[in-house]
């Protein structure tokens, strides 16, 4: 038997596992240290009461023979697909049909799994820095080639996002086949306007390219000119797949639920991607549990919407605390407005990992080093707003005290 030797190319540990390991090691060596974690974008607020109520009801149904349910439909029950279609698309004037929506266990899995339906020969374009899943899954699939002397994968097109271009990628100079975009962006927290996104849709249409649009942080958008869906841009249904997640929207990181939109008009080499993804999911995925689907449905009720807004504003307040506090401490900061992430420049002369160590040792605060998101992330650092409010304030006070 031969192994998939693409796995030998890749870093042995996933970025967030490395960060967690370093935190554990520090805590073991300093049991008395009161470490505050602002690293992985994991939620901390409990689920909304409307969600809990819906789950209790669904559990009771599962306890009775006449309301018990076995395998769920592969792509989601009608009740949740209809709620998504109405609230996330029709109400925004976007025409997406129910059978273009595929419920799943989250955007991370789908962003990785989507590669099953396109050829290993495609040229992949990624922002740099970038959510590591897009890069790692394409290395695993054999699309990366080898690393060059700067540590970049030879077959990938990197689109640097730095302070110089206000963290907005430029269109690639060589032809890209598949382009990963994430807005609001992870890790920089920056957003594309409609006009900026249109440039990408036009590029994809002109170049027969597919956009994989990760919209996991859509719920954090507060500014009017920031699109909530790529399908707000004319022509996007012909060239874009959109990934959505309930993780950050409704605190579902531990529940596991999201969805992917694959429009029927997305046609390449004469084939619509929609039935291909349907076939892939029916074969390799067995659907989301009934209880979780009822929980997700509750997010779209009037009470659910209200409660979720309150939870989001709790995190938005944290984002402001971090952004304002770090600026007061003398850091240059980005993001935080339409996003739960604050992206900051580390002090001159330090690498992102050196700053990680310093912050952990001197302030007992854990963040994520920018270089873990790609070569252009070197010199930057990410903090998340998903922590407890008091603890976030405390972390910022510690940073201010040390650096001011
Ligand atoms: C992050 O910290 O970037 C996210 O939590 C990762 C994810 O959503 O998988």
């Amino acid at each position: 038997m031969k192994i998939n030797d693409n796995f030998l190319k890749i870093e042995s540990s996933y970025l967030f596992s490395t960060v967690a390991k370093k935190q554990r090691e520090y805590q073991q060596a300093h049991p008395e240290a009161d470490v505050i974690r602002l690293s992985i974008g994991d939620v901390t607020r409990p689920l909304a009461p409307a969600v809990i109520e819906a789950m209790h009801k669904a559990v009771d149904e599962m306890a009775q023979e006449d309301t018990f349910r076995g395998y769920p439909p592969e792509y989601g029950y009608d009740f949740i697909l209809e709620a998504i279609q109405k609230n996330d698309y029709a109400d925004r004037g976007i025409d997406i049909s129910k059978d273009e929506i595929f419920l799943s266990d989250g955007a991370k899995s789908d962003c990785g799994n989507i590669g099953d339906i396109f050829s290993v020969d495609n040229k992949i374009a990624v922002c740099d820095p970038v959510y590591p899943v897009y890069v790692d899954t394409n290395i695993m699939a054999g699309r990366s080639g080898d690393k060059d002397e700067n540590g970049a994968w030879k077959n990938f097109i990197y689109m640097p996002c730095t302070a110089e271009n206000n963290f907005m990628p430029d269109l690639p100079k060589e032809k890209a086949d598949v382009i990963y975009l994430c807005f609001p962006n992870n890790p920089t927290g920056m957003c594309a306007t409609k006009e900026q996104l249109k440039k990408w849709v036009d590029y994809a249409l002109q170049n027969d390219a597919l956009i994989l649009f990760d919209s996991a942080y859509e719920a954090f958008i507060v500014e009017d000119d920031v699109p909530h869906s790529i399908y707000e841009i004319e022509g996007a249904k012909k060239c874009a797949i959109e990934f959505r997640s309930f993780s950050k929207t409704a605190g579902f990181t531990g529940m596991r639920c999201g969805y992917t939109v694959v429009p029927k008009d997305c046609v390449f080499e004469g084939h619509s991607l929609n039935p291909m993804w349907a076939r892939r999911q029916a074969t390799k995925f067995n659907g989301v549990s009934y209880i979780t689907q009822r929980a997700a449905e509750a997010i779209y009720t009037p009470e659910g919407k209200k409660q979720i807004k309150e939870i989001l504003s709790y995190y938005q307040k944290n984002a402001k605390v971090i952004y304002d506090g770090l600026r007061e401490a003398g850091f240059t900061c980005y993001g935080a407005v339409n996003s739960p992430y604050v992206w900051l420049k580390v002090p001159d002369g330090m690498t992102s990992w050196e700053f990680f160590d310093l912050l952990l040792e001197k302030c007992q605060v854990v963040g994520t080093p920018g270089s873990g998101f790609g070569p252009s992330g070197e010199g930057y650092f990410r903090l998340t707003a998903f922590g407890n409010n008091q603890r976030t304030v405390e972390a910022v006070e510690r940073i201010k005290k040390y650096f001011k």
Side-chain angles (χ1 to χ4, degrees):
M1 136 40 204
K2 291 188 180 133
I3 59 162
N4 175 354
D5 57 6
N6 293 311
F7 278 74
L8 307 179
K9 296 180 174 179
I10 207 168
E11 298 270 342
S12 59
S13 169
Y14 180 57
L15 172 64
F16 295 107
S17 317
T18 310
V19 168
K21 183 165 169 274
K22 278 188 167 255
Q23 179 188 340
R24 266 197 316 275
E25 284 167 0
Y26 179 83
Q27 194 77 72
Q28 271 158 15
H30 306 84
E32 73 301 337
D34 175 23
V35 176
I36 304 178
R37 190 171 79 139
L38 302 181
S39 46
I40 188 161
D42 194 4
V43 294
T44 52
R45 303 302 298 155
L47 294 169
V51 169
I52 296 292
E53 201 184 309
M55 286 169 74
H56 279 303
K57 203 164 151 255
V59 169
D60 288 341
E61 285 178 54
M62 293 298 266
Q64 303 295 329
E65 192 171 348
D66 56 343
T67 47
F68 170 80
R69 314 230 183 179
Y71 285 127
E74 297 111 325
Y75 314 130
Y77 283 103
D78 277 351
F79 62 78
I80 181 67
L81 298 179
E82 279 159 14
I84 292 168
Q85 180 192 33
K86 174 180 182 318
N87 290 279
D88 292 343
Y89 295 102
D91 286 358
R92 289 193 183 279
I94 302 166
D95 176 26
I96 290 290
S97 67
K98 223 167 48 181
D99 54 1
E100 293 176 310
I101 303 167
F102 297 85
L103 203 75
S104 75
D105 66 342
K108 178 180 180 179
S109 332
D110 283 1
C111 284
N113 294 334
I114 197 77
D116 278 7
I117 65 168
F118 51 82
S119 159
V120 75
D121 297 329
N122 283 303
K123 194 88 180 167
I124 306 297
V126 287
C127 290
D128 172 26
V130 74
Y131 179 41
V133 170
Y134 315 149
V135 168
D136 291 0
T137 54
N138 278 292
I139 300 171
M140 291 173 186
R143 294 194 189 91
S144 65
D146 293 323
K147 266 190 178 169
D148 69 15
E149 57 289 352
N150 302 317
W153 296 98
K154 283 186 186 156
N155 290 355
F156 290 165
I157 300 172
Y158 288 87
M159 305 180 293
C161 299
T162 59
E164 286 69 45
N165 58 9
N166 205 25
F167 303 95
M168 269 307 128
D170 295 325
L171 293 173
K173 292 195 180 51
E174 54 181 312
K175 186 200 171 318
D177 299 311
V178 178
I179 303 156
Y180 287 82
L181 293 178
C182 172
F183 292 115
N185 187 258
N186 180 12
T188 67
M190 301 300 264
C191 265
T193 60
K194 278 196 182 132
E195 207 183 309
Q196 285 166 327
L197 218 47
K198 182 174 182 315
K199 227 173 57 174
W200 286 97
V201 170
D202 291 347
Y203 174 93
L205 292 173
Q206 278 155 20
N207 289 277
D208 190 35
L210 172 69
I211 296 175
L212 297 177
F213 190 74
D214 183 352
S215 188
Y217 299 93
E218 173 273 336
F220 283 84
I221 295 173
V222 290
E223 290 180 329
D224 287 343
D225 60 342
V226 177
H228 288 252
S229 162
I230 193 158
Y231 304 119
E232 287 178 44
I233 315 297
E234 204 190 324
K237 277 169 73 178
K238 289 200 167 79
C239 63
I241 288 176
E242 178 161 285
F243 304 96
R244 290 277 191 111
S245 165
F246 297 117
S247 287
K248 318 292 154 101
T249 307
F252 272 39
T253 55
M255 299 273 291
R256 307 312 313 148
C257 195
Y259 65 89
T260 291
V261 177
V262 187
K264 291 179 202 146
D265 288 351
C266 241
V267 175
F268 290 84
E269 295 188 313
H271 299 279
S272 170
L273 299 186
N274 176 286
M276 292 175 68
W277 183 244
R279 185 71 171 84
R280 190 267 171 216
Q281 289 299 81
T283 308
K284 293 196 186 180
F285 183 64
N286 242 342
V288 176
S289 83
Y290 175 66
I291 298 162
T292 305
Q293 296 199 39
R294 282 295 185 197
E297 182 193 23
I299 298 165
Y300 294 106
T301 60
E303 320 80 72
K305 281 184 186 171
K306 195 166 144 271
Q307 292 162 1
I308 274 154
K309 221 168 155 197
E310 279 163 22
I311 297 171
L312 287 167
S313 69
Y314 179 99
Y315 295 134
Q316 277 154 344
K317 206 166 109 198
N318 283 348
K320 190 161 163 44
V321 165
I322 299 172
Y323 184 86
D324 291 348
L326 270 282
R327 276 169 61 106
E328 254 180 72
F331 288 91
T332 305
C333 301
Y334 306 91
V337 179
N338 298 296
S339 163
Y341 294 128
V342 178
W343 186 242
L344 54 115
K345 192 97 194 66
V346 307
D348 282 346
M350 290 190 96
T351 66
S352 302
W353 277 109
E354 282 165 358
F355 184 70
F356 174 93
D357 290 334
L358 183 77
L359 214 57
L360 184 54
E361 275 156 33
K362 303 296 181 195
C363 307
Q364 282 81 49
V365 173
V366 191
T368 311
S371 55
F373 296 99
S376 297
E378 184 56 275
Y380 291 94
F381 200 77
R382 195 193 76 176
L383 293 172
T384 96
F386 286 117
N388 165 280
N389 190 228
Q390 277 169 330
R391 300 286 284 162
T392 303
V393 171
E394 162 77 19
V396 171
E397 286 309 313
R398 289 185 199 172
I399 296 172
K400 271 172 34 184
K401 198 160 154 219
Y402 184 79
F403 287 96
K404 235 171 138 180

